[in-house]
Amino acid sequence: MANTIDLKPVSEFISEDAPARYVYDMSPEKHEIALSTHDLQVYYGDNLALSEGDLAFERYKITSLIGASGSGKSTFLRSLNRMNDGVATVKGNITYRGVDINTKAIDVYEMRRHIGMVFQRPNPFAKSIYNNITFALTQRGVTDKQELDEIVETSLRQAALWDEVKDELNKSALALSGGQAQRLVIARALALKPDILLLDEPSSALDPISSAQVEDTLLELKNQYTIIIVTHNMQQAARISDYTAFFHMGKVIEYDLTRKIFTRPKVALTNDYISGNFG
Amino acid sequence: MRRLFDEELADLDNSFTEMGMLVAQTIQKSVQSFVDHDREGAKAILENDHKINEREAAIEKKTFEMIALYQPVTTDLREIVTILKAVSVLERMGDQARNIANSTIRVKGTKHIASVEKELGEIGEQVAAMVSRVMDYYVKYDALGAESIAEENQSWSNRAAKVRSDSVKGMKDDAELVDSAADYLVIAGYLKRIGDYTIDIAEWIVYKRTGKIIELNPGYNYFI
């Protein structure tokens, strides 16, 4: 444990003017950045739903996006792999591997192989467990049975579902429980070997046990993937994420290490939201 | 989550145990320096006291984070609360070791009462051993062991009373003994405090194991 006693006078810790906004300095010298946004603005028609979206996400970390409904967190998440195309106008830059992916020149489908998305409600295809995972791959021309078998097993193992379904891979995915279905959807996203996994409230439709399994899975996946998750469950954000961004009325109010956000947030609004003293 | 919490709790537990060992060692050394009139040894204890304080602060900070991030309940909560409460006790024990070291530095060079110093040395060793043992009970999750330590804490009250009577007698007989005898009295008091703190930790071990908050120190009324 690091030394932590500060011998400065107390007056130096008392700040009269708390900041209205705080964003963690994710300097590229100290952090490996997997994805970053610059001056992101999202309009639904003429309506500005999100502005000031300047965030950088560290590689192999879990970042939680929290905030009330309508705060802009899901809008932000969906913009990251262009799920808002055709729904909203997204201005600004989204940088992935040095390339701005928020431009017309980008092949959106190819990009989504690298930046996968898992939604709130488990949405397995009406196919077998096996074919759920291989569907996108076969569409892309992967036909080698052995290769597909391997990908199915690896993806299901990564999503912590393999042991539960290995003997019934041909069963319909629709017969799975909610928690299993959500892990299948995660496995399906992993089959494309993405770099970054975006999850939009992945366990809000699940019971606590299934939710815990999904959380466990995410903690395992962190070793190989960068994970960005929108969650309404603040305890979930606290339990599993390394960083947390608090959104309010279309703006990022505070972005910091999770342990800091949950023990001593810098912005009064964040403090109120996290302690349930809101509105 | 569950697993991550367990890992962090195990780390916290190790840090706490390590700090306990360090405090037990420091008490042992402070008593030894007193017995040996070892001023250098006593100075080293003063210089190292900040290490104990830093460990306390780090452990406290970690417990705050774990409470905020994981909202522990039942046995998890008890374990965290036990550490949070007992870590302050360990820090205060460290302060008492520092006080003994200060007395050692003062007593050096003045006239001594050998029999009282011998008595204090023996009581000190017993107290230092109690501190090590209570940490052992903590590690072994041994509530009955913790309870048994309270009896031992009372067992040396007669010897402490003898330290008092011999010191007072020495002062009456020879004014030059007042300097050292005054320190003998406070050292007996420091050791008594350490003994009482050991019982506080024993009480938290019982809480951790059973969920019951009990009083193991009936407040025996001996001189300091």
Side-chain angles (χ1 to χ4, degrees):
Chain A
M1 275 186 189
N3 173 17
T4 48
I5 296 197
D6 220 317
L7 297 172
K8 284 186 264 186
V10 173
S11 57
E12 293 195 18
F13 306 124
I14 298 175
S15 152
E16 290 297 328
D17 32 38
R21 183 166 191 271
Y22 176 82
V23 174
Y24 182 82
D25 177 21
M26 193 73 79
S27 68
E29 293 81 35
K30 290 185 194 154
H31 306 274
E32 198 184 342
I33 312 264
L35 187 72
S36 63
T37 64
H38 177 61
D39 203 17
L40 202 71
Q41 298 187 348
V42 184
Y43 292 85
Y44 290 114
D46 293 335
N47 191 2
L48 180 62
L50 180 79
S51 61
E52 289 189 60
D54 284 29
L55 293 183
F57 298 96
E58 187 170 0
R59 196 155 194 225
Y60 302 142
K61 299 285 180 194
I62 300 181
T63 303
S64 287
L65 313 181
I66 63 170
S69 296
S71 60
K73 58 191 189 305
S74 291
T75 296
F76 179 85
L77 187 82
R78 282 199 297 269
S79 301
L80 295 181
N81 76 343
R82 304 271 301 269
M83 286 287 176
N84 278 335
D85 284 14
V87 181
T89 311
V90 181
K91 295 181 179 169
N93 317 105
I94 301 169
T95 309
Y96 171 67
R97 291 186 175 172
V99 177
D100 183 3
I101 56 171
N102 194 30
T103 60
K104 284 214 166 72
I106 291 293
D107 176 346
V108 172
Y109 298 103
E110 180 59 24
M111 178 271 288
R112 285 182 192 151
R113 273 193 57 193
H114 298 279
I115 307 177
M117 172 85 86
V118 171
F119 297 94
Q120 181 173 2
R121 295 205 157 269
N123 55 349
F125 305 141
K127 296 174 183 295
S128 69
I129 294 169
Y130 187 95
N131 286 338
N132 258 273
I133 292 175
T134 58
F135 181 68
L137 293 163
T138 50
Q139 294 293 307
R140 279 167 196 279
V142 182
T143 50
D144 183 68
K145 176 80 168 91
Q146 197 185 344
E147 187 183 350
L148 289 172
D149 283 354
E150 277 172 18
I151 293 175
V152 166
E153 178 169 345
T154 310
S155 314
L156 286 171
R157 277 190 191 281
Q158 284 183 324
L161 187 60
W162 174 252
D163 289 339
E164 290 165 55
V165 301
K166 64 183 175 200
D167 298 325
E168 42 188 20
L169 293 176
N170 291 320
K171 197 169 106 175
S172 166
L174 300 179
L176 294 173
S177 74
Q180 289 175 325
Q182 193 62 306
R183 280 178 284 146
L184 175 65
V185 175
I186 292 174
R188 192 173 68 192
L190 297 179
L192 296 174
K193 299 192 169 66
D195 254 0
I196 300 173
L197 208 51
L198 310 176
L199 301 106
D200 193 355
E201 294 180 51
S203 57
S204 66
L206 304 180
D207 68 86
I209 303 284
S210 309
S211 177
Q213 285 165 338
V214 169
E215 286 181 17
D216 246 354
T217 305
L218 296 181
L219 285 171
E220 281 295 325
L221 292 177
K222 192 172 95 162
N223 298 324
Q224 296 171 60
Y225 302 91
T226 303
I227 296 173
I228 306 171
I229 173 172
V230 161
T231 176
H232 269 300
N233 180 341
M234 261 186 290
Q235 270 344 105
Q236 180 171 66
R239 279 192 298 266
I240 66 170
S241 62
D242 302 285
Y243 295 97
T244 296
F246 168 55
F247 285 71
H248 180 64
M249 294 178 69
K251 288 185 172 143
V252 177
I253 301 296
E254 188 158 357
Y255 178 41
D256 206 344
L257 294 164
T258 298
R259 63 187 166 79
K260 288 205 173 158
I261 291 257
F262 281 84
T263 52
R264 41 195 173 113
K266 295 183 174 61
V267 182
L269 201 59
T270 315
N271 192 84
D272 288 348
Y273 182 73
I274 288 188
S275 53
N277 182 24
F278 212 55
Chain B
M1 23 29 61
R2 180 69 220 171
R3 227 183 22 213
L4 200 60
F5 176 82
D6 285 345
E7 276 170 27
E8 290 192 17
L9 190 58
D11 279 352
L12 184 68
D13 204 58
N14 284 339
S15 308
F16 175 76
T17 310
E18 270 176 32
M19 179 179 167
M21 298 304 177
L22 176 66
V23 168
Q25 223 173 55
T26 307
I27 293 167
Q28 204 273 329
K29 280 186 193 157
S30 74
V31 169
Q32 194 59 48
S33 332
F34 170 76
V35 170
D36 298 344
H37 301 286
D38 174 5
R39 183 178 261 199
E40 292 310 311
K43 276 186 185 158
I45 285 170
L46 300 185
E47 279 159 17
N48 285 319
D49 184 54
H50 71 99
K51 289 185 186 160
I52 292 176
N53 299 348
E54 280 159 13
R55 280 174 188 257
E56 182 203 17
I59 289 172
E60 283 174 343
K61 188 177 170 204
K62 186 71 196 168
T63 57
F64 299 154
E65 272 175 25
M66 288 180 70
I67 290 169
L69 297 182
Y70 302 108
Q71 301 199 332
V73 293
T74 64
T75 49
D76 295 337
L77 178 66
R78 294 214 300 271
E79 196 155 339
I80 293 227
V81 167
T82 295
I83 289 176
L84 182 57
K85 295 287 289 188
V87 77
S88 316
V89 179
L90 283 182
E91 192 271 334
R92 285 192 303 248
M93 284 176 161
D95 288 347
Q96 299 299 337
R98 192 187 57 197
N99 290 339
I100 293 173
N102 269 321
S103 284
T104 301
I105 292 168
R106 264 200 310 268
V107 167
K108 171 85 176 167
T110 60
K111 245 175 131 178
H112 307 138
I113 308 175
S115 64
V116 172
E117 293 193 350
K118 182 167 176 285
E119 192 75 43
L120 280 173
E122 285 171 15
I123 295 174
E125 274 169 27
Q126 192 182 352
V127 170
M130 273 171 57
V131 177
S132 297
R133 256 211 346 277
V134 88
M135 289 312 299
D136 213 36
Y137 294 140
Y138 173 84
V139 171
K140 291 180 182 146
Y141 210 49
D142 182 353
L144 294 176
E147 187 184 26
S148 74
I149 258 200
E151 279 171 40
E152 182 176 346
N153 189 40
Q154 284 148 28
S155 71
W156 48 276
S157 61
N158 287 340
R159 304 178 75 176
K162 189 160 170 9
V163 167
R164 176 181 189 268
S165 57
D166 288 359
S167 299
V168 171
K169 181 171 178 302
M171 288 193 267
K172 283 178 182 163
D173 291 351
D174 181 353
E176 284 185 44
L177 284 173
V178 169
D179 272 341
S180 48
D183 272 309
Y184 298 155
L185 293 178
V186 294
I187 287 173
Y190 300 146
L191 293 173
K192 168 80 164 71
R193 287 291 88 72
I194 295 174
D196 290 347
Y197 289 151
T198 309
I199 304 314
D200 288 347
I201 292 184
E203 288 167 358
W204 286 112
I205 294 171
V206 173
Y207 169 74
K208 179 178 146 184
R209 179 82 169 78
T210 67
K212 297 286 181 200
I213 292 181
I214 59 159
E215 177 61 61
L216 287 175
N217 194 346
Y220 272 73
N221 191 16
Y222 55 96
F223 81 100
I224 253 163

